[in-house]
Amino acid sequence: VVALHVMNRDKHGKKMSKSFGNAVDPLDWMDAYGSDALRFTLARGANPGVDVPIGEEWVQGSRNFCNKLWNAARFALLNGATTAEPLPPAEELSTVDRWLLSRLAAVTASVDADYEHFEFAKASESLYHFVWDDFCDWYVELAKVPLAAGGAGAHRTRLVLGHALDTVLRLLHPVVPFVTEALWTALTGGESLVVASWPQADGSRLDPAAEGEVAALQDVVTEVRRFRSEQGLRPAQR
């Protein structure tokens, strides 16, 4: 597949040109930050009909995103995340598990539609925020509690972790091919993401009630963190 886009410009919106001294050799950025980081940066900025501004710090940000995904996958694998069993029914899952699967179902549907309409920037933006915010910053942290407790709750969390990571890696593969290939084969033991099936949104997992409960929890945690920061309290201080 070849995607045709409009002109690449520098971060100030100026046309890249050797005569302007602002042209970039993409191989330099690929060597410094990885091919996935450059590819994801370009895809995330590729809005139809709009020139694509690009700066080195944006490629650095995409490299950080790939690192974030890698570290979250490492956490999941070290804690036994698996795709070997089907997901439990909703009534057996915690509110946090149901929340993540609800968000995942919505993101899968929207990203699938964006790819279908060649809206690569919208798909990339949705995946960026789901992975960074919902999956890494919230679910991975909240999952540490049942994983530490052990038992049936920990097993269900491992299944949700594995399913969510599997789906995210499939959705990201067109724009982050190398990192997702390495992580997906490690998670699933499959041959290659290139020949894996495309994920389908599971509408039965949509759960507005769970999303509302976790949104309230997020508001409380965010406000407490803000208050602690304003009061100059150390992170470990009760």
Side-chain angles (χ1 to χ4, degrees):
V1 175
V2 176
L4 301 179
H5 59 80
V6 288
M7 184 183 299
N8 285 330
R9 297 180 179 270
D10 68 15
K11 63 181 180 180
H12 304 295
K14 191 173 183 179
K15 175 184 175 182
M16 284 191 179
S17 169
K18 289 183 178 180
S19 60
F20 294 153
N22 62 350
V24 174
D25 185 342
L27 295 178
D28 291 339
W29 281 356
M30 290 165 68
D31 289 340
Y33 307 111
S35 300
D36 278 346
L38 179 58
R39 183 187 182 102
F40 188 64
T41 302
L42 292 170
R44 198 174 170 199
N47 288 295
V50 179
D51 289 348
V52 181
I54 184 171
E56 187 168 3
E57 61 269 31
W58 300 341
V59 186
Q60 292 173 349
S62 295
R63 185 269 316 274
N64 295 342
F65 170 75
C66 292
N67 288 345
K68 186 91 167 177
L69 176 64
W70 186 277
N71 289 333
R74 183 173 181 271
F75 167 84
L77 290 169
L78 288 174
N79 283 277
T82 180
T83 59
E85 300 177 34
L87 284 171
E91 57 269 18
E92 295 181 12
L93 296 174
S94 69
T95 299
V96 172
D97 289 337
R98 290 188 287 111
W99 162 77
L100 182 74
L101 294 176
S102 181
R103 290 287 302 118
L104 181 64
V107 167
T108 300
S110 66
V111 168
D112 187 57
D114 290 337
Y115 279 142
E116 186 71 22
H117 294 94
F118 305 101
E119 297 277 3
F120 301 117
K122 289 177 63 177
S124 299
E125 192 72 11
S126 295
L127 288 168
Y128 177 90
H129 286 292
F130 176 80
V131 170
W132 194 290
D133 300 334
D134 294 337
F135 187 67
C136 294
D137 282 358
W138 286 101
Y139 185 75
V140 166
E141 293 302 315
L142 293 169
K144 292 177 181 178
V145 176
L147 288 172
H155 180 64
R156 288 191 289 268
T157 298
R158 294 186 187 102
L159 293 177
V160 173
L161 264 175
H163 173 78
L165 187 56
D166 174 25
T167 302
V168 162
L169 294 174
R170 293 172 191 248
L171 292 172
L172 273 171
H173 187 61
V175 287
V176 187
F178 299 108
V179 168
T180 54
E181 175 75 12
L183 294 177
W184 186 84
T185 52
L187 172 69
T188 67
E191 176 187 357
S192 173
L193 252 178
V194 174
V195 294
S197 61
W198 185 249
Q200 302 297 316
D202 184 356
S204 68
R205 293 290 179 176
L206 293 173
D207 194 329
E211 292 199 35
E213 287 188 52
V214 174
L217 172 65
Q218 290 172 321
D219 288 343
V220 171
V221 171
T222 301
E223 187 63 20
V224 169
R225 287 173 176 169
R226 183 197 63 78
F227 177 79
R228 289 176 60 88
S229 176
E230 289 179 351
Q231 300 304 313
L233 300 177
R234 298 187 304 275
Q237 183 177 347
R238 288 185 176 275

